[in-house]
Amino acid sequence: MSDLSWLVPLPVVLPLTGAGLALALWRHARAQRVITLVALSLSLVASCLLLVQADAGPLTVDVGGWSAPVGISLVADRLSALMLAISSAVTLCVLVYSLAQGVADGDIETPVAIYHPSYLVLAAGIAIAFLAGDLFNLYVGFEVLLAASYVLITLTGTAERIRSGTIYIVVALLSSVIFLFAIGLAYSATGTVNMAQLALRLPEINPGVALALQLLLLLAFGIKAAIFPLSAWLPDSYPTAPAPVTAVFAGLLTKVGVYAIIRTQTLLFPGGRADDLLMWAALATMVVGVLGAVAQNDIKRLLSFTLVSHIGFMIFGIALSSEAGMAAAIFYVVHHITVQTTLFLVAGLLERRGGTTSLDQLGGLAKIAPFLAVLFFVPAMNLAGIPPFSGFLGKVGLLQAGAAVGTPLAYTLIAGGVVTSLLTLYALIKAWNKAFWQSAPAPVPARHLPRGMVGSAAALAVLGVSLTVVAGPLYSYTERAAHDLHGRTVYIEAVLPAGGRGSGISDDVATTDAGEVTP
Amino acid sequence: MSHDMTPNLVLVVVIGVLVAVGVYLLLERSLSRVLIGIILIGNGVNLSFLVAGGAAGGAPIVGTTPIDEMSDPLPQAMVLTAIVITLGMTAFLLALAYRSWQLHRHDEVQDDVEDHRIARLAALDEPSFADVDTLDTTTDLEREAAEARDETQAIPVGPAGRRAGPA
């Protein structure tokens, strides 16, 4: 399928080009909006085509014609393509929401000029991270998306955003430095940063060094994915940003960390030496996160804590080191991206309608905004894992995979997962009850909700529900993806075909042997 | 490897010192010290790429140096990228520290207010949220019972002078 490999860089190139254009046209708000919309729509189309194509086999591009172990390779296998497609769909929906919000707030002529370029750079960074075929470009992808996220989280520079943004930025910088250090060590130990070649060379080096690398990478990605005890920064940082920004962060940024964990753990470190550690981390993430959610009385903070908590489910699936566990984890990632984003968008609507996100002050909204009540209720139930929603299917898959592994620790995690689901249900029902059902402590001012905001939130909610409808094909897709990840050869063969070299033109320089350069 | 891969001890010690001092500064409250800490750790990590490339050799340009004596160019390319990224992030953090100073006249990293609030409520053993519909503590059970309509009043009294229903 290499004839279609020109599709691979598009999800990166389109938003980046758009970002440049939007930055150049910073005085023209209308043009910025059109550019952003077009760039993200096109990259959604490209991602969907990739999703179809990657099912036949991974597509690779050696950037600039430099063959793989030397040059930069971009790889779209089943996992990458699936993540790309779902993230493009989510970024587009959130964009429409933020456009409608901007229009409703009357800032058509005077928007924050940096919003659209940053948003596009964020989308490009996410795409680079998903497509990167080597550790260093994974790092670059992370930095690109983080740089954009720093701008977005401190947008307009109010005191509250600066306060929470500071913590977010310092923590993110620290995790990037740890990641960079791990890359340096990996290069010292193996002479390569190409992930396919690393997969071949890591078994040959000292297992102690390999374990150190694995743990360093887990530490770096664990901070980004907000795994307990590295998650304390998240519930403090996210809620202060504007609703669309929080929504896209909650949906995607932590999942990029989860994706990086899946990629490195399966490809570079098979055999599951860190599985017990990951399982304990997953258990603690699930339980501590959801206990945090129960204690909150601000709906955005409550949702941030459920976000942390549900990362634990994905880590559980990864830690099982089985195909079934991985398939369920990938399915859960897809489900969670849509649902968590929807919930944050609805929280934004709620804030707009009720004037606050504090559950102490909200109330009685079911009567005056019944559609909003439904719009919150459906993804909330989806997140809690009520049948027949996709959250239920993902959780059942995870629990079954856990039972199939059958160790006492796995059963402990199953119990932890069930308790977490119940507590999630409790926290969300409490929130729904207080915001929509019980009487309001003070009368709610009548405010109009823009149709575009409600529409895009509803579209995402429908996308979340439709994951249930297409759960069969989607689940078999994630099973195939998990099979590829588990087998490893598909990925390695795609990047380094027979002869151990990519398809570039630099044949006279690249060699197959350990970092050696032949004359 | 074609040439000596033993790490350079001086570089390793410098990396250790930079990272150690950086971590110490990172634990400070003041954002400008945190910033210096990040810069030091970043430089330490960037130096680690030089170690990763092995011993220094000639310029890695085909035709000027025999291939066996070249430095490894790849870590240098990577460290250059990393330096640019660190520079950008440093600039942003500096702007952030300045903004924080503008707003508060200090650049200390502040605590999470909400965490404080919940911790205080937990110390007082109070619920973290209030339920409006059941908040009215004056309606205790007895008063509520007194206000409620008593259905048994409506039941007719039987011929034996006793209530027909259970007492």
Side-chain angles (χ1 to χ4, degrees), chain A residues 135 138 195 199 202 210-211 213-219 221-222 227 257-278 315 318-319 321 326 485-486 488:
Chain A
L135 283 182
L138 186 59
M195 283 199 267
L202 275 173
L211 185 63
L213 275 178
Q214 183 177 10
L215 293 180
L216 261 183
L217 287 176
L218 270 182
L219 182 62
F221 299 145
I227 300 172
V258 172
Y259 165 83
I261 291 176
I262 293 179
R263 181 63 80 201
T264 53
Q265 292 303 305
T266 56
L267 186 63
L268 306 185
F269 308 103
R273 279 210 286 175
D275 279 0
D276 279 0
L277 177 73
L278 275 180
I315 303 302
I318 297 167
S321 270
M326 189 57 72
L485 290 174
H486 219 63
R488 305 206 301 151

mmCIF file of all heavy atoms in Angstrom, chain A residues 135 138 195 199 202 210-211 213-219 221-222 227 257-278 315 318-319 321 326 485-486 488:
data_model
loop_
_atom_site.group_PDB
_atom_site.id
_atom_site.type_symbol
_atom_site.label_atom_id
_atom_site.label_comp_id
_atom_site.label_asym_id
_atom_site.label_seq_id
_atom_site.Cartn_x
_atom_site.Cartn_y
_atom_site.Cartn_z
ATOM 1 N N LEU A 135 12.017 7.606 18.689
ATOM 2 C CA LEU A 135 11.791 8.222 19.991
ATOM 3 C C LEU A 135 11.989 9.722 19.950
ATOM 4 O O LEU A 135 11.267 10.469 20.585
ATOM 5 C CB LEU A 135 12.756 7.626 21.026
ATOM 6 C CG LEU A 135 12.426 6.254 21.576
ATOM 7 C CD1 LEU A 135 13.459 5.852 22.608
ATOM 8 C CD2 LEU A 135 11.050 6.251 22.209
ATOM 9 N N LEU A 138 9.055 11.426 18.594
ATOM 10 C CA LEU A 138 7.993 11.362 19.589
ATOM 11 C C LEU A 138 8.177 12.514 20.579
ATOM 12 O O LEU A 138 7.226 13.214 20.931
ATOM 13 C CB LEU A 138 8.053 10.015 20.306
ATOM 14 C CG LEU A 138 6.938 9.694 21.284
ATOM 15 C CD1 LEU A 138 5.596 9.712 20.597
ATOM 16 C CD2 LEU A 138 7.161 8.344 21.930
ATOM 17 N N MET A 195 12.479 3.384 16.532
ATOM 18 C CA MET A 195 11.836 2.425 17.435
ATOM 19 C C MET A 195 11.915 0.995 16.911
ATOM 20 O O MET A 195 12.099 0.058 17.692
ATOM 21 C CB MET A 195 10.397 2.839 17.696
ATOM 22 C CG MET A 195 10.332 3.986 18.678
ATOM 23 S SD MET A 195 8.747 4.174 19.443
ATOM 24 C CE MET A 195 7.984 5.346 18.371
ATOM 25 N N ALA A 199 13.786 -1.959 18.860
ATOM 26 C CA ALA A 199 13.129 -3.220 19.214
ATOM 27 C C ALA A 199 14.043 -4.397 18.921
ATOM 28 O O ALA A 199 14.048 -5.395 19.634
ATOM 29 C CB ALA A 199 11.828 -3.350 18.435
ATOM 30 N N LEU A 202 17.435 -3.773 21.584
ATOM 31 C CA LEU A 202 17.311 -3.758 23.042
ATOM 32 C C LEU A 202 17.496 -5.136 23.682
ATOM 33 O O LEU A 202 18.090 -5.229 24.752
ATOM 34 C CB LEU A 202 15.969 -3.148 23.454
ATOM 35 C CG LEU A 202 15.967 -1.628 23.546
ATOM 36 C CD1 LEU A 202 14.556 -1.117 23.782
ATOM 37 C CD2 LEU A 202 16.876 -1.134 24.664
ATOM 38 N N ALA A 210 18.381 -2.012 30.050
ATOM 39 C CA ALA A 210 17.087 -1.967 29.367
ATOM 40 C C ALA A 210 15.970 -1.655 30.354
ATOM 41 O O ALA A 210 15.062 -0.874 30.057
ATOM 42 C CB ALA A 210 16.816 -3.299 28.666
ATOM 43 N N LEU A 211 16.053 -2.254 31.549
ATOM 44 C CA LEU A 211 15.017 -1.999 32.559
ATOM 45 C C LEU A 211 15.049 -0.533 32.995
ATOM 46 O O LEU A 211 14.005 0.105 33.155
ATOM 47 C CB LEU A 211 15.225 -2.916 33.764
ATOM 48 C CG LEU A 211 14.137 -2.840 34.830
ATOM 49 C CD1 LEU A 211 12.805 -3.298 34.278
ATOM 50 C CD2 LEU A 211 14.507 -3.660 36.051
ATOM 51 N N LEU A 213 15.984 1.988 31.209
ATOM 52 C CA LEU A 213 15.385 2.758 30.125
ATOM 53 C C LEU A 213 13.864 2.669 30.173
ATOM 54 O O LEU A 213 13.160 3.670 30.025
ATOM 55 C CB LEU A 213 15.858 2.199 28.782
ATOM 56 C CG LEU A 213 17.181 2.710 28.269
ATOM 57 C CD1 LEU A 213 17.516 2.019 26.967
ATOM 58 C CD2 LEU A 213 17.074 4.205 28.042
ATOM 59 N N GLN A 214 13.390 1.424 30.379
ATOM 60 C CA GLN A 214 11.947 1.214 30.409
ATOM 61 C C GLN A 214 11.304 2.039 31.519
ATOM 62 O O GLN A 214 10.283 2.705 31.308
ATOM 63 C CB GLN A 214 11.677 -0.274 30.635
ATOM 64 C CG GLN A 214 10.219 -0.635 30.627
ATOM 65 C CD GLN A 214 9.995 -2.124 30.782
ATOM 66 O OE1 GLN A 214 10.926 -2.883 31.082
ATOM 67 N NE2 GLN A 214 8.779 -2.560 30.559
ATOM 68 N N LEU A 215 11.931 2.037 32.698
ATOM 69 C CA LEU A 215 11.346 2.754 33.829
ATOM 70 C C LEU A 215 11.424 4.264 33.624
ATOM 71 O O LEU A 215 10.487 4.992 33.973
ATOM 72 C CB LEU A 215 12.042 2.353 35.135
ATOM 73 C CG LEU A 215 11.797 0.901 35.545
ATOM 74 C CD1 LEU A 215 12.519 0.570 36.830
ATOM 75 C CD2 LEU A 215 10.308 0.620 35.700
ATOM 76 N N LEU A 216 12.527 4.730 33.024
ATOM 77 C CA LEU A 216 12.639 6.171 32.751
ATOM 78 C C LEU A 216 11.543 6.611 31.785
ATOM 79 O O LEU A 216 10.901 7.646 31.977
ATOM 80 C CB LEU A 216 13.998 6.485 32.138
ATOM 81 C CG LEU A 216 15.081 7.031 33.056
ATOM 82 C CD1 LEU A 216 16.313 7.349 32.255
ATOM 83 C CD2 LEU A 216 14.593 8.269 33.780
ATOM 84 N N LEU A 217 11.334 5.815 30.734
ATOM 85 C CA LEU A 217 10.285 6.164 29.771
ATOM 86 C C LEU A 217 8.911 6.118 30.434
ATOM 87 O O LEU A 217 8.070 6.993 30.212
ATOM 88 C CB LEU A 217 10.321 5.212 28.570
ATOM 89 C CG LEU A 217 11.478 5.412 27.595
ATOM 90 C CD1 LEU A 217 11.463 4.356 26.526
ATOM 91 C CD2 LEU A 217 11.419 6.796 26.962
ATOM 92 N N LEU A 218 8.699 5.107 31.274
ATOM 93 C CA LEU A 218 7.416 5.026 31.977
ATOM 94 C C LEU A 218 7.211 6.236 32.872
ATOM 95 O O LEU A 218 6.099 6.758 32.974
ATOM 96 C CB LEU A 218 7.366 3.756 32.821
ATOM 97 C CG LEU A 218 6.823 2.508 32.155
ATOM 98 C CD1 LEU A 218 6.805 1.367 33.146
ATOM 99 C CD2 LEU A 218 5.427 2.744 31.624
ATOM 100 N N LEU A 219 8.278 6.672 33.527
ATOM 101 C CA LEU A 219 8.185 7.839 34.402
ATOM 102 C C LEU A 219 7.783 9.072 33.589
ATOM 103 O O LEU A 219 6.862 9.813 33.960
ATOM 104 C CB LEU A 219 9.528 8.062 35.087
ATOM 105 C CG LEU A 219 9.636 9.213 36.079
ATOM 106 C CD1 LEU A 219 8.696 8.988 37.240
ATOM 107 C CD2 LEU A 219 11.062 9.358 36.586
ATOM 108 N N PHE A 221 6.325 9.238 30.556
ATOM 109 C CA PHE A 221 4.975 9.139 29.991
ATOM 110 C C PHE A 221 3.922 9.091 31.091
ATOM 111 O O PHE A 221 2.790 9.526 30.889
ATOM 112 C CB PHE A 221 4.853 7.891 29.113
ATOM 113 C CG PHE A 221 5.789 7.889 27.948
ATOM 114 C CD1 PHE A 221 6.352 6.715 27.488
ATOM 115 C CD2 PHE A 221 6.116 9.060 27.293
ATOM 116 C CE1 PHE A 221 7.215 6.700 26.412
ATOM 117 C CE2 PHE A 221 6.984 9.062 26.229
ATOM 118 C CZ PHE A 221 7.534 7.884 25.791
ATOM 119 N N GLY A 222 4.318 8.546 32.249
ATOM 120 C CA GLY A 222 3.370 8.481 33.363
ATOM 121 C C GLY A 222 2.956 9.868 33.818
ATOM 122 O O GLY A 222 1.801 10.091 34.174
ATOM 123 N N ILE A 227 -0.745 9.275 35.585
ATOM 124 C CA ILE A 227 -0.915 8.059 36.362
ATOM 125 C C ILE A 227 -0.557 8.386 37.806
ATOM 126 O O ILE A 227 0.457 9.031 38.048
ATOM 127 C CB ILE A 227 0.022 6.962 35.830
ATOM 128 C CG1 ILE A 227 -0.284 6.663 34.375
ATOM 129 C CG2 ILE A 227 -0.090 5.701 36.649
ATOM 130 C CD1 ILE A 227 0.721 5.747 33.742
ATOM 131 N N GLY A 257 -0.019 10.443 26.047
ATOM 132 C CA GLY A 257 0.848 9.752 26.996
ATOM 133 C C GLY A 257 0.543 8.258 27.040
ATOM 134 O O GLY A 257 1.452 7.423 27.023
ATOM 135 N N VAL A 258 -0.754 7.928 27.074
ATOM 136 C CA VAL A 258 -1.142 6.515 27.099
ATOM 137 C C VAL A 258 -0.678 5.827 25.812
ATOM 138 O O VAL A 258 -0.157 4.706 25.843
ATOM 139 C CB VAL A 258 -2.674 6.383 27.266
ATOM 140 C CG1 VAL A 258 -3.105 4.939 27.108
ATOM 141 C CG2 VAL A 258 -3.105 6.909 28.608
ATOM 142 N N TYR A 259 -0.852 6.531 24.682
ATOM 143 C CA TYR A 259 -0.402 5.961 23.408
ATOM 144 C C TYR A 259 1.097 5.680 23.458
ATOM 145 O O TYR A 259 1.553 4.610 23.034
ATOM 146 C CB TYR A 259 -0.717 6.928 22.257
ATOM 147 C CG TYR A 259 0.027 6.600 20.985
ATOM 148 C CD1 TYR A 259 -0.457 5.636 20.102
ATOM 149 C CD2 TYR A 259 1.234 7.219 20.676
ATOM 150 C CE1 TYR A 259 0.243 5.303 18.962
ATOM 151 C CE2 TYR A 259 1.937 6.897 19.538
ATOM 152 C CZ TYR A 259 1.441 5.946 18.685
ATOM 153 O OH TYR A 259 2.137 5.608 17.561
ATOM 154 N N ALA A 260 1.876 6.634 23.998
ATOM 155 C CA ALA A 260 3.327 6.446 24.049
ATOM 156 C C ALA A 260 3.675 5.256 24.932
ATOM 157 O O ALA A 260 4.596 4.483 24.613
ATOM 158 C CB ALA A 260 3.987 7.716 24.582
ATOM 159 N N ILE A 261 2.915 5.074 26.018
ATOM 160 C CA ILE A 261 3.164 3.906 26.878
ATOM 161 C C ILE A 261 2.863 2.626 26.100
ATOM 162 O O ILE A 261 3.651 1.678 26.101
ATOM 163 C CB ILE A 261 2.307 3.989 28.162
ATOM 164 C CG1 ILE A 261 2.807 5.123 29.036
ATOM 165 C CG2 ILE A 261 2.372 2.680 28.926
ATOM 166 C CD1 ILE A 261 1.985 5.360 30.277
ATOM 167 N N ILE A 262 1.726 2.599 25.405
ATOM 168 C CA ILE A 262 1.375 1.393 24.637
ATOM 169 C C ILE A 262 2.473 1.098 23.627
ATOM 170 O O ILE A 262 2.974 -0.023 23.520
ATOM 171 C CB ILE A 262 0.031 1.592 23.897
ATOM 172 C CG1 ILE A 262 -1.108 1.696 24.893
ATOM 173 C CG2 ILE A 262 -0.222 0.437 22.930
ATOM 174 C CD1 ILE A 262 -2.464 1.906 24.258
ATOM 175 N N ARG A 263 2.872 2.124 22.882
ATOM 176 C CA ARG A 263 3.848 1.924 21.817
ATOM 177 C C ARG A 263 5.177 1.411 22.365
ATOM 178 O O ARG A 263 5.711 0.411 21.886
ATOM 179 C CB ARG A 263 4.040 3.254 21.061
ATOM 180 C CG ARG A 263 4.996 3.226 19.920
ATOM 181 C CD ARG A 263 4.556 2.292 18.805
ATOM 182 N NE ARG A 263 3.556 2.887 17.943
ATOM 183 C CZ ARG A 263 2.737 2.156 17.180
ATOM 184 N NH1 ARG A 263 2.772 0.849 17.200
ATOM 185 N NH2 ARG A 263 1.857 2.739 16.407
ATOM 186 N N THR A 264 5.696 2.088 23.395
ATOM 187 C CA THR A 264 7.018 1.673 23.873
ATOM 188 C C THR A 264 6.953 0.348 24.623
ATOM 189 O O THR A 264 7.831 -0.490 24.458
ATOM 190 C CB THR A 264 7.627 2.759 24.785
ATOM 191 O OG1 THR A 264 6.689 3.070 25.803
ATOM 192 C CG2 THR A 264 7.956 4.009 24.011
ATOM 193 N N GLN A 265 5.913 0.142 25.410
ATOM 194 C CA GLN A 265 5.864 -1.097 26.184
ATOM 195 C C GLN A 265 5.724 -2.313 25.284
ATOM 196 O O GLN A 265 6.324 -3.360 25.538
ATOM 197 C CB GLN A 265 4.709 -1.076 27.192
ATOM 198 C CG GLN A 265 4.881 -0.079 28.297
ATOM 199 C CD GLN A 265 6.158 -0.277 29.092
ATOM 200 O OE1 GLN A 265 6.418 -1.344 29.622
ATOM 201 N NE2 GLN A 265 6.985 0.747 29.146
ATOM 202 N N THR A 266 4.910 -2.189 24.239
ATOM 203 C CA THR A 266 4.714 -3.374 23.395
ATOM 204 C C THR A 266 5.881 -3.571 22.441
ATOM 205 O O THR A 266 6.350 -4.681 22.245
ATOM 206 C CB THR A 266 3.425 -3.257 22.571
ATOM 207 O OG1 THR A 266 3.483 -2.050 21.824
ATOM 208 C CG2 THR A 266 2.214 -3.274 23.444
ATOM 209 N N LEU A 267 6.355 -2.484 21.841
ATOM 210 C CA LEU A 267 7.365 -2.633 20.792
ATOM 211 C C LEU A 267 8.763 -2.801 21.374
ATOM 212 O O LEU A 267 9.518 -3.678 20.943
ATOM 213 C CB LEU A 267 7.315 -1.401 19.878
ATOM 214 C CG LEU A 267 8.197 -1.447 18.643
ATOM 215 C CD1 LEU A 267 7.759 -2.576 17.733
ATOM 216 C CD2 LEU A 267 8.134 -0.121 17.895
ATOM 217 N N LEU A 268 9.114 -1.970 22.340
ATOM 218 C CA LEU A 268 10.491 -1.967 22.820
ATOM 219 C C LEU A 268 10.714 -2.935 23.971
ATOM 220 O O LEU A 268 11.780 -3.519 24.094
ATOM 221 C CB LEU A 268 10.889 -0.550 23.266
ATOM 222 C CG LEU A 268 10.684 0.555 22.248
ATOM 223 C CD1 LEU A 268 11.242 1.857 22.778
ATOM 224 C CD2 LEU A 268 11.350 0.211 20.944
ATOM 225 N N PHE A 269 9.718 -3.072 24.831
ATOM 226 C CA PHE A 269 9.947 -3.861 26.038
ATOM 227 C C PHE A 269 8.894 -4.956 26.181
ATOM 228 O O PHE A 269 8.098 -4.932 27.118
ATOM 229 C CB PHE A 269 9.932 -2.953 27.270
ATOM 230 C CG PHE A 269 10.851 -1.782 27.167
ATOM 231 C CD1 PHE A 269 10.361 -0.516 26.887
ATOM 232 C CD2 PHE A 269 12.217 -1.942 27.316
ATOM 233 C CE1 PHE A 269 11.197 0.569 26.782
ATOM 234 C CE2 PHE A 269 13.070 -0.854 27.215
ATOM 235 C CZ PHE A 269 12.564 0.403 26.935
ATOM 236 N N PRO A 270 8.857 -5.896 25.251
ATOM 237 C CA PRO A 270 7.885 -6.979 25.400
ATOM 238 C C PRO A 270 8.325 -7.897 26.537
ATOM 239 O O PRO A 270 9.477 -7.855 26.969
ATOM 240 C CB PRO A 270 7.957 -7.702 24.052
ATOM 241 C CG PRO A 270 9.340 -7.452 23.577
ATOM 242 C CD PRO A 270 9.729 -6.096 24.086
ATOM 243 N N GLY A 271 7.402 -8.689 27.022
ATOM 244 C CA GLY A 271 7.753 -9.608 28.104
ATOM 245 C C GLY A 271 7.245 -9.117 29.446
ATOM 246 O O GLY A 271 7.172 -9.879 30.403
ATOM 247 N N GLY A 272 6.855 -7.833 29.506
ATOM 248 C CA GLY A 272 6.132 -7.343 30.671
ATOM 249 C C GLY A 272 6.908 -7.362 31.978
ATOM 250 O O GLY A 272 6.405 -7.828 32.992
ATOM 251 N N ARG A 273 8.135 -6.818 31.978
ATOM 252 C CA ARG A 273 8.877 -6.800 33.230
ATOM 253 C C ARG A 273 8.330 -5.768 34.200
ATOM 254 O O ARG A 273 8.584 -5.850 35.389
ATOM 255 C CB ARG A 273 10.360 -6.513 32.951
ATOM 256 C CG ARG A 273 11.104 -7.745 32.501
ATOM 257 C CD ARG A 273 12.543 -7.664 32.928
ATOM 258 N NE ARG A 273 13.295 -6.714 32.130
ATOM 259 C CZ ARG A 273 14.556 -6.408 32.391
ATOM 260 N NH1 ARG A 273 15.172 -6.945 33.404
ATOM 261 N NH2 ARG A 273 15.186 -5.544 31.617
ATOM 262 N N ALA A 274 7.627 -4.762 33.666
ATOM 263 C CA ALA A 274 7.103 -3.716 34.560
ATOM 264 C C ALA A 274 5.623 -3.935 34.857
ATOM 265 O O ALA A 274 4.966 -3.055 35.393
ATOM 266 C CB ALA A 274 7.319 -2.349 33.934
ATOM 267 N N ASP A 275 5.086 -5.116 34.514
ATOM 268 C CA ASP A 275 3.639 -5.316 34.605
ATOM 269 C C ASP A 275 3.084 -5.173 36.017
ATOM 270 O O ASP A 275 2.052 -4.532 36.216
ATOM 271 C CB ASP A 275 3.263 -6.693 34.052
ATOM 272 C CG ASP A 275 3.200 -6.664 32.541
ATOM 273 O OD1 ASP A 275 3.443 -5.579 31.979
ATOM 274 O OD2 ASP A 275 2.917 -7.703 31.939
ATOM 275 N N ASP A 276 3.785 -5.755 36.992
ATOM 276 C CA ASP A 276 3.273 -5.662 38.357
ATOM 277 C C ASP A 276 3.235 -4.218 38.822
ATOM 278 O O ASP A 276 2.241 -3.762 39.409
ATOM 279 C CB ASP A 276 4.149 -6.493 39.305
ATOM 280 C CG ASP A 276 3.779 -7.969 39.230
ATOM 281 O OD1 ASP A 276 2.854 -8.297 38.449
ATOM 282 O OD2 ASP A 276 4.416 -8.788 39.917
ATOM 283 N N LEU A 277 4.305 -3.499 38.509
ATOM 284 C CA LEU A 277 4.363 -2.084 38.866
ATOM 285 C C LEU A 277 3.210 -1.326 38.228
ATOM 286 O O LEU A 277 2.504 -0.547 38.883
ATOM 287 C CB LEU A 277 5.701 -1.515 38.395
ATOM 288 C CG LEU A 277 5.908 -0.027 38.626
ATOM 289 C CD1 LEU A 277 6.136 0.225 40.096
ATOM 290 C CD2 LEU A 277 7.074 0.482 37.805
ATOM 291 N N LEU A 278 2.986 -1.601 36.921
ATOM 292 C CA LEU A 278 1.912 -0.904 36.207
ATOM 293 C C LEU A 278 0.555 -1.254 36.806
ATOM 294 O O LEU A 278 -0.334 -0.412 36.881
ATOM 295 C CB LEU A 278 1.938 -1.276 34.727
ATOM 296 C CG LEU A 278 2.874 -0.474 33.848
ATOM 297 C CD1 LEU A 278 2.802 -0.955 32.417
ATOM 298 C CD2 LEU A 278 2.518 1.002 33.895
ATOM 299 N N ILE A 315 -4.317 1.739 31.768
ATOM 300 C CA ILE A 315 -3.043 1.200 32.239
ATOM 301 C C ILE A 315 -3.223 -0.258 32.657
ATOM 302 O O ILE A 315 -2.353 -1.104 32.425
ATOM 303 C CB ILE A 315 -2.513 2.047 33.417
ATOM 304 C CG1 ILE A 315 -2.380 3.504 32.990
ATOM 305 C CG2 ILE A 315 -1.167 1.528 33.902
ATOM 306 C CD1 ILE A 315 -1.477 3.725 31.826
ATOM 307 N N ILE A 318 -3.048 -2.337 29.583
ATOM 308 C CA ILE A 318 -1.677 -2.438 29.083
ATOM 309 C C ILE A 318 -0.871 -3.392 29.958
ATOM 310 O O ILE A 318 -0.106 -4.223 29.464
ATOM 311 C CB ILE A 318 -1.018 -1.041 29.075
ATOM 312 C CG1 ILE A 318 -1.749 -0.118 28.115
ATOM 313 C CG2 ILE A 318 0.449 -1.139 28.689
ATOM 314 C CD1 ILE A 318 -1.372 1.339 28.258
ATOM 315 N N ALA A 319 -1.083 -3.292 31.282
ATOM 316 C CA ALA A 319 -0.279 -4.080 32.220
ATOM 317 C C ALA A 319 -0.580 -5.572 32.129
ATOM 318 O O ALA A 319 0.215 -6.386 32.588
ATOM 319 C CB ALA A 319 -0.514 -3.587 33.643
ATOM 320 N N SER A 321 -0.530 -7.315 29.556
ATOM 321 C CA SER A 321 0.404 -7.901 28.584
ATOM 322 C C SER A 321 -0.207 -9.034 27.779
ATOM 323 O O SER A 321 0.479 -9.970 27.391
ATOM 324 C CB SER A 321 1.669 -8.432 29.279
ATOM 325 O OG SER A 321 2.614 -7.419 29.326
ATOM 326 N N MET A 326 -4.812 -5.667 25.667
ATOM 327 C CA MET A 326 -4.425 -4.529 24.842
ATOM 328 C C MET A 326 -5.581 -4.071 23.965
ATOM 329 O O MET A 326 -5.818 -2.864 23.817
ATOM 330 C CB MET A 326 -3.211 -4.920 23.984
ATOM 331 C CG MET A 326 -2.583 -3.774 23.250
ATOM 332 S SD MET A 326 -2.059 -2.450 24.346
ATOM 333 C CE MET A 326 -0.650 -3.218 25.107
ATOM 334 N N LEU A 485 0.478 -5.302 17.577
ATOM 335 C CA LEU A 485 1.377 -4.795 18.608
ATOM 336 C C LEU A 485 2.055 -5.945 19.332
ATOM 337 O O LEU A 485 3.234 -5.902 19.626
ATOM 338 C CB LEU A 485 0.591 -3.958 19.623
ATOM 339 C CG LEU A 485 0.075 -2.623 19.135
ATOM 340 C CD1 LEU A 485 -0.804 -1.996 20.188
ATOM 341 C CD2 LEU A 485 1.230 -1.698 18.809
ATOM 342 N N HIS A 486 1.278 -6.991 19.574
ATOM 343 C CA HIS A 486 1.813 -8.131 20.301
ATOM 344 C C HIS A 486 2.842 -8.885 19.455
ATOM 345 O O HIS A 486 3.869 -9.331 19.958
ATOM 346 C CB HIS A 486 0.659 -9.054 20.684
ATOM 347 C CG HIS A 486 0.812 -9.630 22.037
ATOM 348 N ND1 HIS A 486 0.837 -8.842 23.165
ATOM 349 C CD2 HIS A 486 0.960 -10.901 22.468
ATOM 350 C CE1 HIS A 486 0.988 -9.607 24.224
ATOM 351 N NE2 HIS A 486 1.073 -10.858 23.825
ATOM 352 N N ARG A 488 4.640 -7.649 16.932
ATOM 353 C CA ARG A 488 5.760 -6.742 16.717
ATOM 354 C C ARG A 488 6.330 -6.796 15.307
ATOM 355 O O ARG A 488 6.813 -5.798 14.806
ATOM 356 C CB ARG A 488 6.911 -6.983 17.712
ATOM 357 C CG ARG A 488 6.502 -6.921 19.154
ATOM 358 C CD ARG A 488 7.664 -6.542 20.033
ATOM 359 N NE ARG A 488 8.765 -7.482 19.910
ATOM 360 C CZ ARG A 488 10.039 -7.161 20.089
ATOM 361 N NH1 ARG A 488 10.356 -5.923 20.382
ATOM 362 N NH2 ARG A 488 10.975 -8.056 19.963
#
